[in-house]
Amino acid sequence: MQEIEITEKVNTRIDSYLATLLSMSRSKIAKMLKENYILVNDKEVKASYELQIGDNITILEYVEEEMSAEPEEMDLDIVYEDDDVMVVNKANGVVVHPAVGNNHGTLVNGLLFHSKNLSSVNGEFRPGIVHRIDAYTTGLLMIAKNDQAHQFLAEQLSNKTTKRKYQAIVWGVIPHDTATIDAPIGRDESDRKKMTVTSKNSKQAVTHFRVLKRFKSATLIECELETGRTHQIRVHMNYIGYPIVNDPVYGKRKLLDDSGQCLHAKTIGFVHPRTKEYMEFDSELPKCFLNIERYFEEE
């Protein structure tokens, strides 16, 4: 880790300043800023941030690994496909797109093998990817097969007009039948890999949920997302004291097995980019989810 204090006026953006100081390209500095390897006063900033006297720049250790997104044959569960969109039911443990340290076996690798037509809006490592779910969250994802479809679907996500319903099993017996959690989510300052409910550098996050079934020590719920923040359901449910069962990061409860958090993206609905007709898709709960549900039923 390296720390730099701005003690005099520099009149420049952080990317230009650090590119000169560290003999790096501005694009690499911008990438490090985006991935939170560079912070100013322990906060995220954009590459265009104008440095001020008194700013403290923290540069975390950054090991750059050559990445690639290569086609790989994969058994994809394709729920729907046409010339513009796909709906894929993502399996447990599958990462959505390549990242440093994980170039292979992702959903993108499988999509590239399946189709030569994927949108390029999110760059070469995220072709077709309009939105994401965690590796150990199962369920439905929209995939765009061209840039026009991507932009149309992304606008619906931004305007909160898509329907996204999840089912989850949480620790504890929730007494209320329905509730809405409206609490902003941002990066956890004590652990940059985690998200948390915070007023600092956060974005609005709204989750609606209703109880489907109560067990002796857990509750089966349905969640509907109004916003789509990183780890939103996991963070929100932990915040109100009912963490997702089997979540290895949030909640600090015992793990029943190693299959990942008991969270499934069950339903997705959107307006088709070409026909302008509303489409909705549903998926069955996966075995890993049903096994945990059975555990609580037999308590």
Side-chain angles (χ1 to χ4, degrees):
M1 185 177 75
Q2 182 178 357
E3 292 190 352
I4 301 168
E5 184 177 359
I6 305 301
T7 57
E8 57 185 30
K9 199 167 185 179
V10 293
N11 292 322
T12 188
R13 295 162 40 129
I14 187 171
D15 57 349
S16 298
Y17 177 80
L18 290 180
T20 301
L21 184 68
L22 303 175
S23 299
M24 291 184 182
S25 67
R26 285 177 60 179
S27 62
K28 184 174 181 179
I29 295 295
K31 183 178 179 182
M32 292 173 70
L33 284 162
K34 187 174 182 180
E35 296 177 3
N36 300 324
Y37 282 95
I38 300 175
L39 305 172
V40 176
N41 305 323
D42 291 324
K43 297 178 182 178
E44 302 173 27
V45 298
K46 294 182 178 180
S48 59
Y49 176 78
E50 295 284 339
L51 289 166
Q52 308 293 322
I53 295 175
D55 280 345
N56 286 290
I57 304 172
T58 302
I59 305 172
L60 304 177
E61 184 178 2
Y62 182 76
V63 179
E64 189 168 34
E65 179 180 312
E66 186 175 346
M67 280 176 43
S68 62
E70 302 295 333
E72 295 178 20
E73 188 170 4
M74 189 179 296
D75 186 17
L76 298 177
D77 182 2
I78 299 173
V79 177
Y80 175 83
E81 182 177 11
D82 61 26
D83 291 338
D84 299 291
V85 299
M86 295 170 59
V87 176
V88 176
N89 189 19
K90 189 186 78 66
N92 186 19
V94 176
V95 176
V96 171
H97 59 75
V100 173
N102 189 22
N103 287 354
H104 304 287
T106 73
L107 180 63
V108 159
N109 296 116
L111 290 172
L112 287 169
F113 185 89
H114 174 80
S115 176
K116 290 182 172 59
N117 299 315
L118 294 169
S119 69
S120 61
V121 173
N122 274 339
E124 62 178 311
F125 300 119
R126 301 180 185 181
I129 302 301
V130 183
H131 62 125
R132 295 175 290 173
I133 55 178
D134 301 334
Y136 289 97
T137 296
T138 55
L140 300 179
L141 281 168
M142 299 182 294
I143 306 297
K145 297 183 72 175
N146 54 66
D147 289 355
Q148 292 76 19
H150 190 125
Q151 291 166 354
F152 191 86
L153 295 173
E155 284 178 9
Q156 291 181 64
L157 286 168
S158 178
N159 295 333
K160 306 174 185 177
T161 56
T162 53
K163 178 182 286 189
R164 287 175 292 166
K165 289 186 176 181
Y166 291 69
Q167 284 195 15
I169 299 178
V170 298
W171 286 110
V173 181
I174 300 176
H176 309 291
D177 291 336
T178 62
T180 293
I181 307 168
D182 186 347
I185 291 176
R187 190 72 58 179
D188 189 331
E189 291 186 349
S190 62
D191 185 346
R192 306 299 297 176
K193 295 180 180 179
K194 294 173 62 176
M195 309 300 289
T196 189
V197 170
T198 177
S199 60
K200 296 181 180 179
N201 297 311
S202 57
K203 294 181 179 179
Q204 182 191 28
V206 181
T207 304
H208 308 281
F209 75 84
R210 67 185 181 97
V211 170
L212 300 179
K213 191 174 183 178
R214 294 180 177 91
F215 305 104
K216 184 179 178 180
S217 62
T219 307
L220 173 66
I221 61 173
E222 178 185 80
C223 299
E224 186 162 3
L225 292 182
E226 190 172 311
T227 55
R229 308 305 173 205
T230 302
H231 301 172
Q232 179 171 316
I233 295 174
R234 299 165 66 191
V235 171
H236 269 173
M237 296 312 298
N238 183 51
Y239 176 66
I240 65 170
Y242 299 97
I244 302 291
V245 168
N246 249 24
D247 191 327
V249 177
Y250 301 97
K252 296 182 180 179
R253 302 289 186 97
K254 67 176 182 179
L255 299 181
L256 300 180
D257 58 32
D258 60 357
S259 64
Q261 58 262 12
C262 204
L263 181 61
H264 178 69
K266 195 172 192 305
T267 305
I268 195 161
F270 55 89
V271 174
H272 191 278
R274 188 179 300 271
T275 68
K276 304 302 186 289
E277 294 181 0
Y278 177 75
M279 307 179 75
E280 187 170 307
F281 303 91
D282 192 69
S283 58
E284 297 294 326
L285 294 171
K287 284 185 179 181
C288 56
F289 193 110
L290 295 174
N291 287 340
I292 292 175
E293 185 175 11
R294 193 174 301 113
Y295 167 85
F296 288 111
E297 288 176 341
E298 294 173 353
E299 276 188 316

